[in-house]
Amino acid sequence: MKFFIDTANLDEIAEAQALGVLDGVTTNPSLMAKEGITGSDNILAHYKRICEIVEGDVSAEVISTDFEGMVKEGEALAALHPQIVVKLPMIADGVKACKYFSDKGIKTNVTLIFSSGQALLAAKAGATYMSPFLGRLDDISTDGLQLIAEIRQIYDNYGFETQILSASVRNTMHVINCAKIGSDVMTGPLSSITGLLKHPLTVSGLAKFLEDYKKGN
Ligand code: E4P
């Protein structure tokens, strides 16, 4: 399973990259605003900086909601850097734009997926990735992991190549459960990745090894 980090914070991206396990980055307009990145020129420059830190795909989201606007924005984003993936919302014009970009060989990520029907549409439009938001479903007492499992089954039934990018991951158990289901990618905060390191027996075991080494030297 690929690990993407879901942030626009350059320090966090660099920390995950330095760990050696990062495969890409996802961003959205809210994450950009959280870092104080506003104005289209600054936003485009920030995407370039992110691409310089990571080696993998970087999802950059359009803010237009009409086909022509999405195409214009998406083309400008894709021209920024070869690692850019055009992120499009799951609305009718987003599906049309996804088909447009996939026909041109430009990578896409269809976002804000909350149902298997939406996942089917994204795959049929040739999306490279599609992002079901599991944490946001959990937030409204709906089983987000169940949706990921259902999409996995549907995609496997027909051999769809669209990658399931489990998004809105909030914790380490989400990561582990996504891996058990066979999600292709997960994107979450830095803590959902670094949290996987933690185990008290690792801490106490290492302390004991070092203590015993000191006794013998
Ligand atoms: C996905 O690409 C989104 O950026 C993200 O995962 C949303 O997560 P949230 O529900 O924690 O805001």
Side-chain angles (χ1 to χ4, degrees):
M1 183 168 71
K2 291 183 202 164
F3 278 16
F4 287 2
I5 189 169
D6 194 32
T7 184
N9 183 289
L10 299 181
D11 292 337
E12 289 182 6
I13 294 169
E15 188 176 335
Q17 175 67 29
L19 198 56
V21 298
L22 192 65
D23 299 296
V25 176
T26 51
T27 61
N28 64 41
S30 307
L31 293 170
M32 280 288 187
K34 192 175 162 197
E35 298 307 316
I37 314 296
T38 54
S40 66
D41 286 351
N42 291 334
I43 290 172
L44 294 182
H46 200 73
Y47 283 136
K48 275 184 118 169
R49 269 182 234 121
I50 293 174
C51 290
E52 282 156 15
I53 299 173
V54 292
E55 280 165 27
D57 286 347
V58 175
S59 286
E61 189 161 341
V62 302
I63 48 151
S64 299
T65 54
D66 63 298
F67 175 76
E68 287 75 19
M70 286 185 204
V71 165
K72 197 174 163 205
E73 258 190 85
E75 282 180 340
L77 287 167
L80 265 185
H81 198 282
Q83 285 165 242
I84 292 285
V85 174
V86 180
K87 198 173 178 190
L88 302 155
M90 173 36 80
I91 55 176
D93 281 32
V95 173
K96 284 185 211 164
C98 177
K99 179 79 174 86
Y100 171 88
F101 286 118
S102 53
D103 284 349
K104 289 188 94 180
I106 292 174
K107 286 186 180 179
T108 52
N109 174 2
V110 180
T111 190
L112 291 165
I113 301 269
F114 293 96
S115 75
S116 297
Q118 292 176 327
L120 255 175
L121 284 173
K124 290 200 55 86
T128 313
Y129 300 102
M130 65 92 216
S131 298
F133 278 31
L134 80 96
R136 290 193 194 185
L137 281 170
D138 287 358
D139 289 346
I140 56 160
S141 310
T142 303
D143 191 348
L145 288 165
Q146 178 55 40
L147 173 64
I148 310 283
E150 207 171 286
I151 298 169
R152 179 73 284 155
Q153 187 191 338
I154 291 169
Y155 280 14
D156 288 351
N157 283 349
Y158 297 98
F160 283 124
E161 287 178 8
T162 297
Q163 295 180 52
I164 302 173
L165 197 175
S166 297
S168 190
V169 158
R170 302 276 169 77
N171 54 54
T172 54
M173 281 315 294
H174 275 159
V175 177
I176 292 162
N177 284 319
C178 282
K180 282 161 82 173
I181 290 167
S183 177
D184 300 290
V185 192
M186 79 83 201
T187 191
L190 180 62
S191 60
S192 68
I193 298 173
T194 55
L196 297 170
L197 283 166
K198 295 177 187 163
H199 198 288
L201 291 178
T202 305
V203 175
S204 60
L206 180 61
K208 179 81 172 94
F209 285 156
L210 296 178
E211 189 188 310
D212 290 345
Y213 171 81
K214 275 184 207 152
K215 279 182 203 159
N217 288 280

